């Protein structure tokens, strides 16, 4: 796949949650590594972005690294560049934008959630994936849980139920479904408190990043 991409002048990026993943990607011919820390939404490892990014940057230089996991504002972008990343890669921050196709009940839950309201659970895919804690994750993590199946069996097991829950949760009187509804999201959910457009997210990121640069210049003066 990598050779075919390169034959067509297409660069290849790949996610890494550990230094060794990044080294293997580079050995396989990957052009850009996304170093994604523990706090990220979706499948994620054990090492926090703050520690992972410089470790990966040093291990695979001069291959460019994008920082991911917990990046949703301009201060976090500035911090990522300070850690040696050439740019950032964001996921969760888009999920509450006005354009996002996030389930409306889940979007409201995200807007109300704090940074402690996510957990890594195997209950959606069979692999540890960060998502919003809900009655769904509580049941799967609870004492009476039968335990999850490995990927790809868990998504096959829960697919139909999950679609039914999402459909039922569209009606607020289906309180059980509303309690169960959840989705992948990172710890950065705690700072997503209003639904704004993707354009505004980017504009605010840039303006906050520029404020940080100004602050750094003053420190140097
Ligand atoms: C809803 C959702 C779905 C995701 N799906 C994938 C995926 O299919 N493949 C992948 O490599 N990463 C996936 N990710 C991880 C993102 O690519 C990204 O690395 C991560 O969201 C960055 O951390 P953040 O959520 O704190 O911004 C997903 C993340 C979220 C939130």
């Amino acid at each position: 796949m990598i050779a075919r991409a390169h034959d067509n002048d297409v660069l290849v990026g790949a996610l890494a949650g550990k230094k060794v993943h990044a080294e293997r990607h580079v050995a396989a011919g990957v052009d850009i590594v996304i170093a994604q820390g523990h706090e990220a939404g979706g499948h994620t490892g054990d090492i926090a972005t703050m520690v992972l990014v410089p470790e990966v940057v040093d291990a695979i230089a001069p291959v460019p690294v994008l920082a991911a996991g917990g990046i949703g504002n301009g201060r976090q972008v500035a911090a990522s560049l300070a850690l040696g990343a050439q740019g950032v890669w964001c996921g969760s921050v888009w999920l509450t934008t006005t354009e996002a196709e996030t389930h409306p009940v889940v979007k409201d839950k995200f807007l109300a959630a704090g940074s402690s309201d996510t957990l890594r659970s195997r209950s959606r895919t069979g692999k540890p994936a960060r998502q919003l804690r809900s009655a769904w994750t509580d049941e799967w993590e609870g004492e009476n849980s039968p335990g999850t199946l490995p990927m790809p069996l868990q998504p096959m097991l829960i697919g139909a139920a999950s679609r039914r829950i999402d459909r039922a949760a569209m009606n607020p009187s289906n309180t059980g479904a509303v309690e169960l509804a959840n989705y992948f999201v990172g710890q950065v959910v705690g700072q997503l408190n209003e639904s704004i457009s993707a354009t505004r997210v980017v504009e605010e990121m840039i303006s906050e990043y520029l404020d940080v640069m100004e602050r750094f210049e003053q420190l140097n003066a």
Side-chain angles (χ1 to χ4, degrees):
M1 275 166 57
I2 293 173
R4 276 183 65 192
H6 287 168
D7 285 347
N8 289 285
D9 294 328
V10 173
L11 295 178
V12 178
L15 230 70
K18 272 185 181 178
K19 182 173 91 165
V20 66
H21 299 160
E23 289 168 339
R24 284 190 208 139
H25 286 326
V26 172
V30 162
D31 305 288
I32 302 164
V33 168
I34 299 113
Q36 187 211 252
H38 178 71
E39 49 273 66
H43 296 119
T44 187
D46 294 319
I47 306 167
T49 303
M50 189 75 152
V51 170
L52 180 70
V53 173
E55 198 178 13
V56 169
V57 166
D58 289 347
I60 61 167
V63 176
V65 174
L66 301 180
I71 299 160
N73 66 30
R75 278 171 290 162
Q76 289 153 339
V77 173
S80 303
L81 300 190
L83 295 174
Q86 302 234 342
V88 299
W89 175 274
C90 305
S92 298
V93 73
W94 311 120
L95 297 175
T96 51
T97 58
T98 47
E99 295 90 338
E101 290 169 357
T102 311
H103 191 296
V105 163
V106 174
K107 199 189 261 191
D108 284 346
K109 286 187 179 186
F110 285 172
L111 292 170
S115 53
S116 310
D117 293 331
T118 72
L119 79 175
R120 285 193 315 162
S121 161
R122 293 179 185 267
S123 59
R124 293 187 77 93
T125 68
K127 283 180 182 274
R130 186 172 300 286
Q131 55 204 275
L132 195 71
R133 183 178 167 196
S134 79
W136 173 269
T137 55
D138 285 350
E139 289 299 328
W140 280 100
E141 309 293 323
E143 257 178 35
N144 297 324
S145 165
T148 54
L149 296 173
M151 189 185 242
L153 299 177
Q154 183 71 6
M156 290 162 73
L157 175 72
I158 62 135
S162 179
R163 283 191 294 277
R164 275 206 308 278
I165 289 166
D166 283 354
R167 236 182 358 253
M170 294 303 284
N171 178 349
S173 66
N174 291 328
T175 51
V178 168
E179 278 173 32
L180 287 164
N182 84 339
Y183 198 49
F184 306 113
V185 75
Q187 293 176 343
V188 79
V189 71
Q191 70 194 48
L192 309 177
N193 300 321
E194 64 171 327
S195 183
I196 57 174
S197 69
T199 308
R200 230 182 99 196
V201 169
V202 174
E203 282 169 357
E204 287 182 5
M205 258 184 203
I206 293 171
S207 125
E208 198 178 42
Y209 170 82
L210 293 173
D211 287 346
V212 174
M213 290 303 110
E214 212 172 284
R215 200 145 45 86
F216 282 179
E217 269 167 34
Q218 282 162 9
L219 286 176
N220 272 335

